[in-house]
Amino acid sequence: MARPLGPVRLRRTNYLTLCIGAILCLFIIYFLSHTGSSSQTTNATRPPTRKPAAKSSLIGERPPVRRFNLNNVTITPDPIGNREAVLILTPMARFYQEYWDNLLKLQYPHDLITLGFILPKTKEGNAATTALQAQITKTQKGSAKDRFRGVIIERQDFDPPLSSQDESERHKMENQKARRASMSRARNSLLFTTLGADTSWVLWLDSDIVETPPTLIQDLAAHDKPIIVPNCYQRYNDPTTGKAAERPYDFNSWQDSPTAQEIANKMGPDDIILEGYSEMATYRALMTYMFEINGQKNMEVDLDGVGGTALLVKADVHRDGAMFPPFPFYHLIETEGFAKMARRLGWHATGLPNYKVYHYNE
C-alpha cells in the first residue's frame, strides 16, 4: 500500500538568478561559435572574401601589339618607287640656316623621312637647340609636302671634350682622339635610339653640310651599295684672285696603304692613325684628290675608310652591329673605325669622287 506523499512546497521563482543564467549561456554560446570559426579559418587558411575589382578605365588605352617582318623591309636601288623609309641623323653643335634650307630642298618624299638630332648640353648647344626647334615648328606646321614623317631631338648625357667649336680648334691633331671619341658616342646614342624596324636607309649628314644635290638620297641609293659616301669640298673666296673657288675638305675617305699599315703595326694598342696631318704621313690614296673635272659623276671607287659628312648606309649594316667605335679599333676611330668594323662584318664601302657635297666655310 502506497504511502501518502507529504505536502508539496512550491519555491518562489528567483528572477535575478534566471537572468544571470541566461546571460551566461548566451556568452558561452557566442564564445564557442567564434572560437570555432577562427580556428577553422586558421587551419584551412581560408582566403578572405574580396570584392570584385572595378574595371580600370585604362584598359581601353593600352597600346596595340605591333608586329614587324623584317623580310618585308626592302632596301633597293629604287627607294622612292618602293616607298622606303629614310632616317637622316645629324650630330649638331651649331645650327646653320643653310643646312636646314638645303634639307628642305631634298626631293625625296618628306613623308618617308625621319630626322634625328643630338646636341650637347652647352651654351652653344642650347642656342642651336632653340634655333633648330624654331625651324622644325615652322616646317611641321607649314605645307604638307614639306613636313617630315617625324623629328627626334636628343641632348647628350655627357660633356663634350672641347669647350670651343671653332674649326681651327676642332682640327688640331692633339684634340682628335678625344673629339672623335666623343663624336662616336654621340653618333651611337643617336643611332641606337632612333633606328626603326621599318628603316631602310640611314643618311648621316653633318650639320655644317650646306649644299648637296636635291636628289642626294636617291642618287646614292641607286648605286645599291651597303655604304656609300660622296666627295666633300668647301667653297671659298680665293684671296689671291678674289674669285670663288673650292677646295677639298674631308680627308677621311681613303684607300689604305702599306705605309699606313706599317705605322699601325708599330703603334701601341690605344694609339690611332689620323689622316690629313703632315706629322703622320700615311701615303693613303685620298678620295678627295681623285676628283676629275670631266669625270663621270657616278664613277665608283672602293674605300677602306669613310668620312661622315654625308654618308648613306643600308640599315641592315647597322642592324648587324656596325657602329662608330669610340675606342681604337685596329687603330681607327669614329667613321674610319666604322668602315673597318663593317668590313669585318662583310660589308664594303664605296666612294663617289666626282659627286660633291659642300661644307660650310667658317
XYZ file of all heavy atoms in Angstrom, residues 36-47:
83
model
N 35.472 28.601 -32.720
C 35.454 27.564 -33.755
C 35.644 28.125 -35.127
O 36.346 27.590 -35.964
N 34.958 29.260 -35.356
C 35.101 29.904 -36.685
C 36.518 30.347 -36.932
O 37.081 30.164 -37.989
C 34.154 31.088 -36.778
O 34.337 31.773 -37.989
N 37.154 30.960 -35.885
C 38.534 31.431 -36.031
C 39.478 30.280 -36.250
O 40.370 30.329 -37.085
C 38.933 32.217 -34.784
O 40.287 32.600 -34.856
N 39.268 29.178 -35.482
C 40.131 28.008 -35.623
C 39.999 27.407 -36.999
O 40.965 26.997 -37.627
C 39.772 26.982 -34.540
O 40.496 25.795 -34.719
N 38.776 27.372 -37.510
C 38.549 26.799 -38.838
C 39.260 27.604 -39.910
O 39.871 27.059 -40.812
C 37.049 26.742 -39.112
C 36.715 26.082 -40.449
C 35.219 26.031 -40.684
O 34.454 26.572 -39.892
N 34.809 25.383 -41.741
N 39.207 28.925 -39.781
C 39.864 29.775 -40.773
C 41.365 29.584 -40.737
O 42.034 29.514 -41.776
C 39.529 31.241 -40.510
O 38.123 31.398 -40.549
C 40.179 32.147 -41.544
N 41.924 29.456 -39.500
C 43.370 29.296 -39.360
C 43.831 27.967 -39.926
O 44.823 27.881 -40.643
C 43.770 29.398 -37.877
O 43.341 30.646 -37.377
C 45.268 29.256 -37.719
N 43.108 26.896 -39.627
C 43.526 25.573 -40.064
C 43.378 25.398 -41.568
O 44.182 24.743 -42.217
C 42.718 24.489 -39.336
C 43.013 24.483 -37.853
O 44.079 24.929 -37.450
N 42.063 24.016 -37.039
N 42.326 25.965 -42.104
C 42.069 25.765 -43.532
C 42.648 26.875 -44.381
O 42.543 26.826 -45.588
C 40.553 25.671 -43.758
N 43.247 27.904 -43.731
C 43.770 29.070 -44.440
C 42.765 29.594 -45.449
O 43.037 29.730 -46.629
C 45.100 28.737 -45.149
O 44.859 27.729 -46.127
C 46.151 28.270 -44.161
N 41.577 29.794 -44.954
C 40.504 30.277 -45.812
C 40.836 31.689 -46.284
O 41.078 32.569 -45.472
C 39.183 30.284 -45.044
C 38.006 30.748 -45.884
C 36.770 30.806 -45.038
N 36.445 29.474 -44.539
C 35.518 29.256 -43.605
N 34.893 30.284 -43.056
N 35.269 28.032 -43.195
N 40.838 31.934 -47.589
C 41.146 33.292 -48.080
C 40.027 34.249 -47.758
O 38.855 33.860 -47.725
C 41.272 33.084 -49.596
C 40.425 31.894 -49.894
C 40.539 31.007 -48.681
